[in-house]
Amino acid sequence: MTHASTYHIPVLSQELLQGLELREGHYLDATVGGGGHSSLLLSALPTLQITALDRDSHALAAAREALAPFLDRVQFQQENFAEYDPGTTRFDGIIADFGVSSAQLDHPERGFSFRYDAPLDMRMDQRQDLTAADIINTRSEKTLADLFFHYGEERFSRRIARQVVAKRPFRTTGELADAIARAMPKPKQSRRHRIHPATRVFQALRIAVNEELNSIETFVQQAPTWLKPEGIIGMISFHSLEDRIVKHQLRAVPHLKILTKKPIVATREEIRENPRARSAKLRLAQRIPIDPLGADESDNAPL
């Protein structure tokens, strides 16, 4: 069983709390994970309520454990945030942390990491059928090369895809990581040896299996409309592909005021205590009232 203690420390927590300008009311945590951010919100105000979503059943179990003191103020729902429908409910604030959790990476059976030799799974929601093995063993060489390049920003995507197709089928993360490593140039020919050669390919596969970027784009388009007037949305991303979507989609939403001209990043102290925070970026925006006369009240500054 996955326990709350195995989930990552919430990043940019104080910056998120400050940016939300908390008020008594109803909040949506679209990626509750181990419950770290929600715990801080619930502790801050005694009557604040939260609807907590996560597509990962293990994460929800961990969140229930972490938020046990507040269970009378939390509603849990296993849901992909891109498919969530709040009905007529409107929120005083919305938060989302798009990063993969430490628990998902550290549990071999989930297949997210090449640190363990495990089945090629990578499903956040294990109710779905598509796995990483399905993609790596059935997609064409060109499709795989494009996937590695666009989702992993992998410059050697074509030679990796060629090696993968030649050596498949693959059953485990270890088999795939070894094949990727053999496809890469010698370290002296590349400066990329500072990270494991499979890192970007595994990121690309995880994104593809879970349709992460499409989900984020859909969520950022919809979620601001679920806010009450003056409600604030805060979203934390962990790589440029996510942050780019958040940045541009927030700018495109009507009646939304951008509160962060540049993303908020972690302090040196936080990075020292939690290295995972080094790539985190927080963006905030506020729902503004709709002018009944039809005037545009938005104040979206260029990012």
Side-chain angles (χ1 to χ4, degrees), residues 220-227 233 248-258 285-291 294-300:
V220 182
Q221 289 173 345
Q222 295 178 344
T225 67
W226 306 336
L227 288 167
I233 184 168
H248 292 295
Q249 291 300 325
L250 284 179
R251 291 174 60 186
V253 176
H255 308 293
L256 199 63
K257 178 180 180 180
I258 304 300
Q286 184 174 36
R287 183 79 171 169
I288 58 176
I290 299 175
D291 184 350
D296 183 3
E297 299 180 49
S298 63
D299 185 23
N300 288 3

PDB file of all heavy atoms in Angstrom, residues 220-227 233 248-258 285-291 294-300:
ATOM      1  N   VAL A 220      -6.535  23.810 -18.366  1.00  0.00           N
ATOM      2  CA  VAL A 220      -6.260  25.248 -18.248  1.00  0.00           C
ATOM      3  C   VAL A 220      -7.288  26.064 -19.014  1.00  0.00           C
ATOM      4  O   VAL A 220      -7.603  27.192 -18.631  1.00  0.00           O
ATOM      5  CB  VAL A 220      -4.825  25.569 -18.722  1.00  0.00           C
ATOM      6  CG1 VAL A 220      -4.525  27.057 -18.541  1.00  0.00           C
ATOM      7  CG2 VAL A 220      -3.804  24.759 -17.941  1.00  0.00           C
ATOM      8  N   GLN A 221      -7.846  25.516 -20.065  1.00  0.00           N
ATOM      9  CA  GLN A 221      -8.908  26.209 -20.784  1.00  0.00           C
ATOM     10  C   GLN A 221     -10.190  26.269 -19.959  1.00  0.00           C
ATOM     11  O   GLN A 221     -10.903  27.279 -19.968  1.00  0.00           O
ATOM     12  CB  GLN A 221      -9.187  25.497 -22.112  1.00  0.00           C
ATOM     13  CG  GLN A 221      -8.099  25.642 -23.154  1.00  0.00           C
ATOM     14  CD  GLN A 221      -8.343  24.778 -24.378  1.00  0.00           C
ATOM     15  OE1 GLN A 221      -9.170  23.864 -24.359  1.00  0.00           O
ATOM     16  NE2 GLN A 221      -7.628  25.042 -25.444  1.00  0.00           N
ATOM     17  N   GLN A 222     -10.491  25.181 -19.242  1.00  0.00           N
ATOM     18  CA  GLN A 222     -11.784  25.071 -18.560  1.00  0.00           C
ATOM     19  C   GLN A 222     -11.775  25.599 -17.129  1.00  0.00           C
ATOM     20  O   GLN A 222     -12.722  26.249 -16.690  1.00  0.00           O
ATOM     21  CB  GLN A 222     -12.219  23.603 -18.531  1.00  0.00           C
ATOM     22  CG  GLN A 222     -12.502  23.000 -19.896  1.00  0.00           C
ATOM     23  CD  GLN A 222     -12.876  21.536 -19.809  1.00  0.00           C
ATOM     24  OE1 GLN A 222     -12.655  20.883 -18.785  1.00  0.00           O
ATOM     25  NE2 GLN A 222     -13.439  21.008 -20.876  1.00  0.00           N
ATOM     26  N   ALA A 223     -10.717  25.285 -16.387  1.00  0.00           N
ATOM     27  CA  ALA A 223     -10.724  25.511 -14.937  1.00  0.00           C
ATOM     28  C   ALA A 223     -11.000  26.952 -14.525  1.00  0.00           C
ATOM     29  O   ALA A 223     -11.742  27.177 -13.548  1.00  0.00           O
ATOM     30  CB  ALA A 223      -9.407  25.025 -14.332  1.00  0.00           C
ATOM     31  N   PRO A 224     -10.463  27.972 -15.202  1.00  0.00           N
ATOM     32  CA  PRO A 224     -10.766  29.340 -14.759  1.00  0.00           C
ATOM     33  C   PRO A 224     -12.247  29.687 -14.784  1.00  0.00           C
ATOM     34  O   PRO A 224     -12.700  30.545 -14.020  1.00  0.00           O
ATOM     35  CB  PRO A 224      -9.973  30.200 -15.754  1.00  0.00           C
ATOM     36  CG  PRO A 224      -8.837  29.334 -16.178  1.00  0.00           C
ATOM     37  CD  PRO A 224      -9.435  27.950 -16.259  1.00  0.00           C
ATOM     38  N   THR A 225     -13.020  29.013 -15.630  1.00  0.00           N
ATOM     39  CA  THR A 225     -14.461  29.276 -15.678  1.00  0.00           C
ATOM     40  C   THR A 225     -15.178  28.693 -14.469  1.00  0.00           C
ATOM     41  O   THR A 225     -16.351  28.984 -14.259  1.00  0.00           O
ATOM     42  CB  THR A 225     -15.079  28.719 -16.969  1.00  0.00           C
ATOM     43  OG1 THR A 225     -15.019  27.281 -16.951  1.00  0.00           O
ATOM     44  CG2 THR A 225     -14.332  29.215 -18.196  1.00  0.00           C
ATOM     45  N   TRP A 226     -14.489  27.856 -13.698  1.00  0.00           N
ATOM     46  CA  TRP A 226     -15.085  27.283 -12.494  1.00  0.00           C
ATOM     47  C   TRP A 226     -14.852  28.161 -11.268  1.00  0.00           C
ATOM     48  O   TRP A 226     -15.296  27.827 -10.167  1.00  0.00           O
ATOM     49  CB  TRP A 226     -14.502  25.893 -12.207  1.00  0.00           C
ATOM     50  CG  TRP A 226     -14.592  24.928 -13.343  1.00  0.00           C
ATOM     51  CD1 TRP A 226     -15.473  24.949 -14.383  1.00  0.00           C
ATOM     52  CD2 TRP A 226     -13.748  23.786 -13.564  1.00  0.00           C
ATOM     53  NE1 TRP A 226     -15.243  23.904 -15.232  1.00  0.00           N
ATOM     54  CE2 TRP A 226     -14.190  23.167 -14.767  1.00  0.00           C
ATOM     55  CE3 TRP A 226     -12.683  23.220 -12.867  1.00  0.00           C
ATOM     56  CZ2 TRP A 226     -13.586  22.016 -15.273  1.00  0.00           C
ATOM     57  CZ3 TRP A 226     -12.079  22.078 -13.374  1.00  0.00           C
ATOM     58  CH2 TRP A 226     -12.532  21.488 -14.559  1.00  0.00           C
ATOM     59  N   LEU A 227     -14.156  29.270 -11.439  1.00  0.00           N
ATOM     60  CA  LEU A 227     -13.854  30.161 -10.319  1.00  0.00           C
ATOM     61  C   LEU A 227     -14.994  31.137 -10.051  1.00  0.00           C
ATOM     62  O   LEU A 227     -15.648  31.624 -10.985  1.00  0.00           O
ATOM     63  CB  LEU A 227     -12.588  30.969 -10.607  1.00  0.00           C
ATOM     64  CG  LEU A 227     -11.243  30.249 -10.565  1.00  0.00           C
ATOM     65  CD1 LEU A 227     -10.166  31.121 -11.186  1.00  0.00           C
ATOM     66  CD2 LEU A 227     -10.875  29.858  -9.136  1.00  0.00           C
ATOM     67  N   ILE A 233      -6.522  30.938  -9.383  1.00  0.00           N
ATOM     68  CA  ILE A 233      -6.026  29.627  -9.768  1.00  0.00           C
ATOM     69  C   ILE A 233      -4.500  29.652  -9.753  1.00  0.00           C
ATOM     70  O   ILE A 233      -3.883  30.612 -10.220  1.00  0.00           O
ATOM     71  CB  ILE A 233      -6.557  29.204 -11.155  1.00  0.00           C
ATOM     72  CG1 ILE A 233      -6.103  27.782 -11.512  1.00  0.00           C
ATOM     73  CG2 ILE A 233      -6.164  30.192 -12.248  1.00  0.00           C
ATOM     74  CD1 ILE A 233      -6.821  27.202 -12.728  1.00  0.00           C
ATOM     75  N   HIS A 248       0.408  30.179 -22.094  1.00  0.00           N
ATOM     76  CA  HIS A 248      -0.364  30.663 -23.235  1.00  0.00           C
ATOM     77  C   HIS A 248      -1.864  30.467 -23.056  1.00  0.00           C
ATOM     78  O   HIS A 248      -2.664  31.323 -23.474  1.00  0.00           O
ATOM     79  CB  HIS A 248       0.118  29.978 -24.518  1.00  0.00           C
ATOM     80  CG  HIS A 248       1.508  30.385 -24.922  1.00  0.00           C
ATOM     81  ND1 HIS A 248       1.819  31.670 -25.305  1.00  0.00           N
ATOM     82  CD2 HIS A 248       2.672  29.687 -24.970  1.00  0.00           C
ATOM     83  CE1 HIS A 248       3.105  31.752 -25.594  1.00  0.00           C
ATOM     84  NE2 HIS A 248       3.646  30.562 -25.402  1.00  0.00           N
ATOM     85  N   GLN A 249      -2.275  29.368 -22.425  1.00  0.00           N
ATOM     86  CA  GLN A 249      -3.707  29.137 -22.246  1.00  0.00           C
ATOM     87  C   GLN A 249      -4.310  30.113 -21.242  1.00  0.00           C
ATOM     88  O   GLN A 249      -5.449  30.562 -21.418  1.00  0.00           O
ATOM     89  CB  GLN A 249      -3.961  27.690 -21.815  1.00  0.00           C
ATOM     90  CG  GLN A 249      -3.680  26.665 -22.893  1.00  0.00           C
ATOM     91  CD  GLN A 249      -4.536  26.869 -24.129  1.00  0.00           C
ATOM     92  OE1 GLN A 249      -5.688  27.268 -24.044  1.00  0.00           O
ATOM     93  NE2 GLN A 249      -3.958  26.606 -25.289  1.00  0.00           N
ATOM     94  N   LEU A 250      -3.580  30.447 -20.188  1.00  0.00           N
ATOM     95  CA  LEU A 250      -4.092  31.432 -19.234  1.00  0.00           C
ATOM     96  C   LEU A 250      -4.312  32.782 -19.910  1.00  0.00           C
ATOM     97  O   LEU A 250      -5.300  33.472 -19.636  1.00  0.00           O
ATOM     98  CB  LEU A 250      -3.130  31.589 -18.056  1.00  0.00           C
ATOM     99  CG  LEU A 250      -3.117  30.479 -17.005  1.00  0.00           C
ATOM    100  CD1 LEU A 250      -2.099  30.782 -15.923  1.00  0.00           C
ATOM    101  CD2 LEU A 250      -4.500  30.265 -16.388  1.00  0.00           C
ATOM    102  N   ARG A 251      -3.390  33.147 -20.775  1.00  0.00           N
ATOM    103  CA  ARG A 251      -3.523  34.429 -21.476  1.00  0.00           C
ATOM    104  C   ARG A 251      -4.748  34.454 -22.387  1.00  0.00           C
ATOM    105  O   ARG A 251      -5.309  35.522 -22.654  1.00  0.00           O
ATOM    106  CB  ARG A 251      -2.271  34.699 -22.314  1.00  0.00           C
ATOM    107  CG  ARG A 251      -1.032  34.990 -21.500  1.00  0.00           C
ATOM    108  CD  ARG A 251       0.194  35.105 -22.380  1.00  0.00           C
ATOM    109  NE  ARG A 251       0.070  36.172 -23.353  1.00  0.00           N
ATOM    110  CZ  ARG A 251       0.957  36.414 -24.320  1.00  0.00           C
ATOM    111  NH1 ARG A 251       2.010  35.620 -24.454  1.00  0.00           N
ATOM    112  NH2 ARG A 251       0.785  37.410 -25.155  1.00  0.00           N
ATOM    113  N   ALA A 252      -5.172  33.276 -22.849  1.00  0.00           N
ATOM    114  CA  ALA A 252      -6.271  33.207 -23.814  1.00  0.00           C
ATOM    115  C   ALA A 252      -7.652  33.170 -23.158  1.00  0.00           C
ATOM    116  O   ALA A 252      -8.658  33.303 -23.851  1.00  0.00           O
ATOM    117  CB  ALA A 252      -6.099  31.974 -24.701  1.00  0.00           C
ATOM    118  N   VAL A 253      -7.706  32.968 -21.838  1.00  0.00           N
ATOM    119  CA  VAL A 253      -9.000  32.854 -21.153  1.00  0.00           C
ATOM    120  C   VAL A 253      -9.577  34.239 -20.892  1.00  0.00           C
ATOM    121  O   VAL A 253      -8.926  35.087 -20.283  1.00  0.00           O
ATOM    122  CB  VAL A 253      -8.842  32.096 -19.815  1.00  0.00           C
ATOM    123  CG1 VAL A 253     -10.179  32.066 -19.068  1.00  0.00           C
ATOM    124  CG2 VAL A 253      -8.346  30.678 -20.068  1.00  0.00           C
ATOM    125  N   PRO A 254     -10.802  34.504 -21.347  1.00  0.00           N
ATOM    126  CA  PRO A 254     -11.411  35.814 -21.095  1.00  0.00           C
ATOM    127  C   PRO A 254     -11.638  36.058 -19.606  1.00  0.00           C
ATOM    128  O   PRO A 254     -11.826  35.121 -18.827  1.00  0.00           O
ATOM    129  CB  PRO A 254     -12.750  35.733 -21.844  1.00  0.00           C
ATOM    130  CG  PRO A 254     -12.600  34.597 -22.804  1.00  0.00           C
ATOM    131  CD  PRO A 254     -11.658  33.629 -22.158  1.00  0.00           C
ATOM    132  N   HIS A 255     -11.633  37.322 -19.222  1.00  0.00           N
ATOM    133  CA  HIS A 255     -11.955  37.741 -17.857  1.00  0.00           C
ATOM    134  C   HIS A 255     -11.039  37.079 -16.831  1.00  0.00           C
ATOM    135  O   HIS A 255     -11.480  36.667 -15.759  1.00  0.00           O
ATOM    136  CB  HIS A 255     -13.419  37.464 -17.535  1.00  0.00           C
ATOM    137  CG  HIS A 255     -14.356  38.027 -18.553  1.00  0.00           C
ATOM    138  ND1 HIS A 255     -14.522  39.386 -18.745  1.00  0.00           N
ATOM    139  CD2 HIS A 255     -15.143  37.423 -19.477  1.00  0.00           C
ATOM    140  CE1 HIS A 255     -15.386  39.588 -19.723  1.00  0.00           C
ATOM    141  NE2 HIS A 255     -15.778  38.418 -20.185  1.00  0.00           N
ATOM    142  N   LEU A 256      -9.767  36.984 -17.184  1.00  0.00           N
ATOM    143  CA  LEU A 256      -8.779  36.412 -16.287  1.00  0.00           C
ATOM    144  C   LEU A 256      -7.594  37.366 -16.205  1.00  0.00           C
ATOM    145  O   LEU A 256      -7.035  37.763 -17.233  1.00  0.00           O
ATOM    146  CB  LEU A 256      -8.318  35.043 -16.797  1.00  0.00           C
ATOM    147  CG  LEU A 256      -7.647  34.113 -15.780  1.00  0.00           C
ATOM    148  CD1 LEU A 256      -8.617  33.731 -14.669  1.00  0.00           C
ATOM    149  CD2 LEU A 256      -7.125  32.859 -16.469  1.00  0.00           C
ATOM    150  N   LYS A 257      -7.236  37.739 -15.000  1.00  0.00           N
ATOM    151  CA  LYS A 257      -6.110  38.647 -14.784  1.00  0.00           C
ATOM    152  C   LYS A 257      -4.878  37.835 -14.408  1.00  0.00           C
ATOM    153  O   LYS A 257      -4.882  37.089 -13.430  1.00  0.00           O
ATOM    154  CB  LYS A 257      -6.431  39.638 -13.667  1.00  0.00           C
ATOM    155  CG  LYS A 257      -5.287  40.603 -13.352  1.00  0.00           C
ATOM    156  CD  LYS A 257      -5.687  41.551 -12.231  1.00  0.00           C
ATOM    157  CE  LYS A 257      -4.555  42.518 -11.907  1.00  0.00           C
ATOM    158  NZ  LYS A 257      -4.936  43.444 -10.811  1.00  0.00           N
ATOM    159  N   ILE A 258      -3.817  37.972 -15.163  1.00  0.00           N
ATOM    160  CA  ILE A 258      -2.576  37.270 -14.872  1.00  0.00           C
ATOM    161  C   ILE A 258      -1.889  37.944 -13.697  1.00  0.00           C
ATOM    162  O   ILE A 258      -1.646  39.160 -13.722  1.00  0.00           O
ATOM    163  CB  ILE A 258      -1.642  37.265 -16.101  1.00  0.00           C
ATOM    164  CG1 ILE A 258      -2.349  36.660 -17.316  1.00  0.00           C
ATOM    165  CG2 ILE A 258      -0.354  36.520 -15.781  1.00  0.00           C
ATOM    166  CD1 ILE A 258      -2.802  35.237 -17.125  1.00  0.00           C
ATOM    167  N   ALA A 285      -3.419  33.257 -11.621  1.00  0.00           N
ATOM    168  CA  ALA A 285      -4.319  34.158 -12.328  1.00  0.00           C
ATOM    169  C   ALA A 285      -5.608  34.287 -11.526  1.00  0.00           C
ATOM    170  O   ALA A 285      -5.974  33.388 -10.758  1.00  0.00           O
ATOM    171  CB  ALA A 285      -4.615  33.648 -13.733  1.00  0.00           C
ATOM    172  N   GLN A 286      -6.298  35.406 -11.711  1.00  0.00           N
ATOM    173  CA  GLN A 286      -7.505  35.705 -10.932  1.00  0.00           C
ATOM    174  C   GLN A 286      -8.686  35.988 -11.848  1.00  0.00           C
ATOM    175  O   GLN A 286      -8.574  36.713 -12.836  1.00  0.00           O
ATOM    176  CB  GLN A 286      -7.256  36.913 -10.023  1.00  0.00           C
ATOM    177  CG  GLN A 286      -8.407  37.243  -9.095  1.00  0.00           C
ATOM    178  CD  GLN A 286      -8.050  38.356  -8.127  1.00  0.00           C
ATOM    179  OE1 GLN A 286      -7.328  39.290  -8.471  1.00  0.00           O
ATOM    180  NE2 GLN A 286      -8.533  38.260  -6.898  1.00  0.00           N
ATOM    181  N   ARG A 287      -9.806  35.395 -11.496  1.00  0.00           N
ATOM    182  CA  ARG A 287     -11.053  35.623 -12.230  1.00  0.00           C
ATOM    183  C   ARG A 287     -11.582  37.007 -11.867  1.00  0.00           C
ATOM    184  O   ARG A 287     -11.714  37.349 -10.689  1.00  0.00           O
ATOM    185  CB  ARG A 287     -12.077  34.566 -11.840  1.00  0.00           C
ATOM    186  CG  ARG A 287     -13.397  34.646 -12.583  1.00  0.00           C
ATOM    187  CD  ARG A 287     -13.286  34.043 -13.951  1.00  0.00           C
ATOM    188  NE  ARG A 287     -14.583  33.932 -14.595  1.00  0.00           N
ATOM    189  CZ  ARG A 287     -14.746  33.627 -15.871  1.00  0.00           C
ATOM    190  NH1 ARG A 287     -13.694  33.382 -16.624  1.00  0.00           N
ATOM    191  NH2 ARG A 287     -15.947  33.541 -16.388  1.00  0.00           N
ATOM    192  N   ILE A 288     -11.866  37.821 -12.873  1.00  0.00           N
ATOM    193  CA  ILE A 288     -12.396  39.148 -12.601  1.00  0.00           C
ATOM    194  C   ILE A 288     -13.869  39.187 -12.995  1.00  0.00           C
ATOM    195  O   ILE A 288     -14.315  38.432 -13.862  1.00  0.00           O
ATOM    196  CB  ILE A 288     -11.598  40.236 -13.349  1.00  0.00           C
ATOM    197  CG1 ILE A 288     -11.606  39.989 -14.858  1.00  0.00           C
ATOM    198  CG2 ILE A 288     -10.167  40.292 -12.848  1.00  0.00           C
ATOM    199  CD1 ILE A 288     -10.908  41.084 -15.645  1.00  0.00           C
ATOM    200  N   PRO A 289     -14.652  40.055 -12.343  1.00  0.00           N
ATOM    201  CA  PRO A 289     -16.082  40.107 -12.656  1.00  0.00           C
ATOM    202  C   PRO A 289     -16.313  40.484 -14.111  1.00  0.00           C
ATOM    203  O   PRO A 289     -15.533  41.226 -14.717  1.00  0.00           O
ATOM    204  CB  PRO A 289     -16.601  41.200 -11.711  1.00  0.00           C
ATOM    205  CG  PRO A 289     -15.589  41.282 -10.623  1.00  0.00           C
ATOM    206  CD  PRO A 289     -14.272  40.964 -11.265  1.00  0.00           C
ATOM    207  N   ILE A 290     -17.363  39.937 -14.664  1.00  0.00           N
ATOM    208  CA  ILE A 290     -17.747  40.269 -16.039  1.00  0.00           C
ATOM    209  C   ILE A 290     -18.534  41.565 -16.027  1.00  0.00           C
ATOM    210  O   ILE A 290     -19.528  41.708 -15.303  1.00  0.00           O
ATOM    211  CB  ILE A 290     -18.581  39.134 -16.661  1.00  0.00           C
ATOM    212  CG1 ILE A 290     -17.768  37.840 -16.714  1.00  0.00           C
ATOM    213  CG2 ILE A 290     -19.060  39.524 -18.053  1.00  0.00           C
ATOM    214  CD1 ILE A 290     -18.546  36.640 -17.190  1.00  0.00           C
ATOM    215  N   ASP A 291     -18.093  42.511 -16.807  1.00  0.00           N
ATOM    216  CA  ASP A 291     -18.752  43.803 -16.900  1.00  0.00           C
ATOM    217  C   ASP A 291     -20.109  43.629 -17.573  1.00  0.00           C
ATOM    218  O   ASP A 291     -20.181  43.183 -18.713  1.00  0.00           O
ATOM    219  CB  ASP A 291     -17.878  44.756 -17.717  1.00  0.00           C
ATOM    220  CG  ASP A 291     -18.446  46.175 -17.782  1.00  0.00           C
ATOM    221  OD1 ASP A 291     -19.604  46.371 -17.367  1.00  0.00           O
ATOM    222  OD2 ASP A 291     -17.723  47.065 -18.249  1.00  0.00           O
ATOM    223  N   GLY A 294     -20.467  44.878 -20.988  1.00  0.00           N
ATOM    224  CA  GLY A 294     -19.716  44.239 -22.060  1.00  0.00           C
ATOM    225  C   GLY A 294     -18.309  44.729 -22.222  1.00  0.00           C
ATOM    226  O   GLY A 294     -17.589  44.306 -23.110  1.00  0.00           O
ATOM    227  N   ALA A 295     -17.868  45.671 -21.377  1.00  0.00           N
ATOM    228  CA  ALA A 295     -16.491  46.156 -21.490  1.00  0.00           C
ATOM    229  C   ALA A 295     -15.527  45.082 -21.048  1.00  0.00           C
ATOM    230  O   ALA A 295     -15.823  44.279 -20.170  1.00  0.00           O
ATOM    231  CB  ALA A 295     -16.320  47.407 -20.626  1.00  0.00           C
ATOM    232  N   ASP A 296     -14.328  45.109 -21.615  1.00  0.00           N
ATOM    233  CA  ASP A 296     -13.306  44.125 -21.273  1.00  0.00           C
ATOM    234  C   ASP A 296     -12.524  44.621 -20.067  1.00  0.00           C
ATOM    235  O   ASP A 296     -11.808  45.612 -20.128  1.00  0.00           O
ATOM    236  CB  ASP A 296     -12.364  43.939 -22.465  1.00  0.00           C
ATOM    237  CG  ASP A 296     -11.317  42.865 -22.202  1.00  0.00           C
ATOM    238  OD1 ASP A 296     -11.376  42.251 -21.135  1.00  0.00           O
ATOM    239  OD2 ASP A 296     -10.466  42.644 -23.078  1.00  0.00           O
ATOM    240  N   GLU A 297     -12.716  43.964 -18.921  1.00  0.00           N
ATOM    241  CA  GLU A 297     -12.040  44.378 -17.703  1.00  0.00           C
ATOM    242  C   GLU A 297     -10.712  43.689 -17.501  1.00  0.00           C
ATOM    243  O   GLU A 297     -10.028  43.904 -16.521  1.00  0.00           O
ATOM    244  CB  GLU A 297     -12.921  44.074 -16.484  1.00  0.00           C
ATOM    245  CG  GLU A 297     -14.241  44.777 -16.488  1.00  0.00           C
ATOM    246  CD  GLU A 297     -15.045  44.429 -15.250  1.00  0.00           C
ATOM    247  OE1 GLU A 297     -14.483  44.505 -14.143  1.00  0.00           O
ATOM    248  OE2 GLU A 297     -16.198  44.067 -15.385  1.00  0.00           O
ATOM    249  N   SER A 298     -10.330  42.810 -18.444  1.00  0.00           N
ATOM    250  CA  SER A 298      -9.124  42.030 -18.236  1.00  0.00           C
ATOM    251  C   SER A 298      -7.893  42.918 -18.243  1.00  0.00           C
ATOM    252  O   SER A 298      -7.859  43.968 -18.861  1.00  0.00           O
ATOM    253  CB  SER A 298      -8.990  40.938 -19.302  1.00  0.00           C
ATOM    254  OG  SER A 298      -8.869  41.510 -20.573  1.00  0.00           O
ATOM    255  N   ASP A 299      -6.879  42.436 -17.542  1.00  0.00           N
ATOM    256  CA  ASP A 299      -5.640  43.199 -17.395  1.00  0.00           C
ATOM    257  C   ASP A 299      -4.465  42.268 -17.636  1.00  0.00           C
ATOM    258  O   ASP A 299      -3.490  42.260 -16.907  1.00  0.00           O
ATOM    259  CB  ASP A 299      -5.574  43.786 -15.981  1.00  0.00           C
ATOM    260  CG  ASP A 299      -4.372  44.699 -15.794  1.00  0.00           C
ATOM    261  OD1 ASP A 299      -3.864  45.206 -16.798  1.00  0.00           O
ATOM    262  OD2 ASP A 299      -3.954  44.892 -14.637  1.00  0.00           O
ATOM    263  N   ASN A 300      -4.579  41.454 -18.681  1.00  0.00           N
ATOM    264  CA  ASN A 300      -3.557  40.445 -18.955  1.00  0.00           C
ATOM    265  C   ASN A 300      -2.324  41.098 -19.544  1.00  0.00           C
ATOM    266  O   ASN A 300      -2.333  41.549 -20.688  1.00  0.00           O
ATOM    267  CB  ASN A 300      -4.086  39.389 -19.936  1.00  0.00           C
ATOM    268  CG  ASN A 300      -5.106  38.498 -19.271  1.00  0.00           C
ATOM    269  OD1 ASN A 300      -5.448  38.716 -18.115  1.00  0.00           O
ATOM    270  ND2 ASN A 300      -5.591  37.515 -19.987  1.00  0.00           N
TER     271      ASN A 300
END
